[in-house]
Amino acid sequence: MLIPLLQNHNSFNLNDSHGSSSGSIIHTETTAPKSNWADVASDSTGKLLAAVGLNICIYTSIDSGNNWEQSISDALQWVAVASNSKGTYYAAVARNSYIYTSADSGFYWTRCSSKGGSKPCFPSGTNGGGVMDWTDISSSSTGEYLAATVNNGQVFLSEDFGLHFIVSQQSAITTWVAIELNGDGDFIFAASKDLLYIATGFDRVWSTIVATMITSDQYTGVAVSDDGHVLAACTQQGVVMTSVNRGIHWSSKAAAAASHSAISYHGVSVDKS
């Protein structure tokens, strides 16, 4: 299986998880333009991909990343993109901008705003009309449920494929950095710079997770298994923390002498250089 990897936030590589005959992993650079890439999302097969970066357009691939096409012309400070399991529904966020959604694998994108139209995405009076300092976004397996985080703000949720977003009233106002939904969308795992949070059930009851972290360190990414039982978090100083019982007990390991900015349930992390 080919796994897309952001190599040093500059170019896209494809990792052959089967490796070569010698057992080493094969890295193949793709045709994606060299840029300050920030995030990549995939369907369940690894065939349909979407990627975002800073001051670059959104790019998509329909052949496991071998070839890429520009999907949206807006060159924003894109920081995160999410996909449902079929690769039909995408959602992306940018710093000091809007949430963007697509229901056709990235062919057409809709900007979510509280202004314009008879049914705006955000309730009337939403701060900035939907323009916020977004930091991450996640999707359930179907794409029906979305969760997005705001720096020095709260968590916003959608239960209708991104047509409408509401603030999760019980979520803390904090420096949110990362968020992940499980497959069903009824479990949320999120991180601020110094704390981990979970929200359970569709009524979104939030609680803080007690997990030991080096005081001077900061969380940078989170991941959750499809059933919501296995959790993982990475830190700026290269520590990967895992739990197999929804955050009750934790183990930690210094994965590498590098900082990590993202992690997936399958163990793929992005190193910052």
Side-chain angles (χ1 to χ4, degrees):
M1 178 181 178
L2 295 177
I3 301 174
L5 171 69
L6 297 178
Q7 186 70 23
N8 295 329
H9 282 209
N10 183 50
S11 60
F12 267 106
N13 282 0
L14 292 179
N15 284 1
D16 187 346
S17 60
H18 294 294
S20 65
S21 57
S22 62
S24 61
I25 296 177
I26 300 172
H27 299 272
T28 304
E29 187 170 337
T30 74
T31 59
K34 293 184 182 298
S35 184
N36 192 13
W37 295 105
D39 196 18
V40 60
S42 171
D43 70 345
S44 60
T45 67
K47 182 178 180 181
L48 301 178
L49 306 175
V52 297
L54 304 180
N55 296 316
I56 193 172
C57 309
I58 296 178
Y59 278 77
T60 57
S61 172
I62 60 173
D63 58 4
S64 300
N66 289 295
N67 297 283
W68 293 84
E69 292 187 359
Q70 181 178 303
S71 177
I72 188 171
S73 60
D74 295 6
L76 304 174
Q77 296 284 314
W78 299 106
V79 291
V81 62
S83 171
N84 72 332
S85 62
K86 293 184 178 180
T88 49
Y89 290 97
Y90 290 149
V93 292
R95 306 299 295 263
N96 300 308
S97 185
Y98 298 92
I99 294 177
Y100 285 72
T101 60
S102 173
D104 53 11
S105 301
F107 182 79
Y108 178 80
W109 291 83
T110 299
R111 187 179 71 181
C112 296
S113 171
S114 65
K115 303 175 182 178
S118 58
K119 293 184 178 180
C121 294
F122 292 94
S124 177
T126 298
N127 183 36
V131 176
M132 301 182 205
D133 190 12
W134 302 103
T135 57
D136 200 11
I137 192 164
S138 179
S139 171
S140 64
S141 293
T142 62
E144 181 179 4
Y145 297 96
L146 298 172
T149 50
V150 179
N151 182 38
N152 293 317
Q154 290 180 276
V155 174
F156 281 78
L157 306 172
S158 173
E159 299 180 351
D160 56 6
F161 299 91
L163 294 176
H164 304 92
F165 284 87
I166 60 172
V167 67
S168 181
Q169 295 293 343
Q170 292 190 16
S171 62
I173 299 176
T174 186
T175 53
W176 294 104
V177 295
I179 194 165
E180 282 293 325
L181 285 166
N182 71 332
D184 291 336
D186 61 349
F187 182 87
I188 302 176
F189 181 37
S192 65
K193 288 184 177 180
D194 55 357
L195 290 173
L196 298 175
Y197 299 83
I198 60 172
T200 56
F202 291 108
D203 53 352
R204 310 304 186 191
V205 178
W206 288 87
S207 59
T208 304
I209 293 178
V210 178
T212 303
M213 182 181 67
I214 301 172
T215 304
S216 59
D217 209 350
Q218 294 182 356
Y219 292 113
T220 53
V222 296
V224 60
S225 62
D226 192 60
D227 62 7
H229 286 283
V230 181
L231 311 180
C234 59
T235 74
Q236 195 173 54
Q237 294 186 18
V239 176
V240 175
M241 306 178 65
T242 57
S243 171
V244 295
N245 51 16
R246 289 200 168 187
I248 298 175
H249 302 100
W250 289 86
S251 61
S252 62
K253 181 179 180 181
S259 61
H260 295 304
S261 61
I263 190 169
S264 80
Y265 171 61
H266 297 288
V268 179
S269 60
V270 179
D271 294 338
K272 283 184 176 179
S273 60

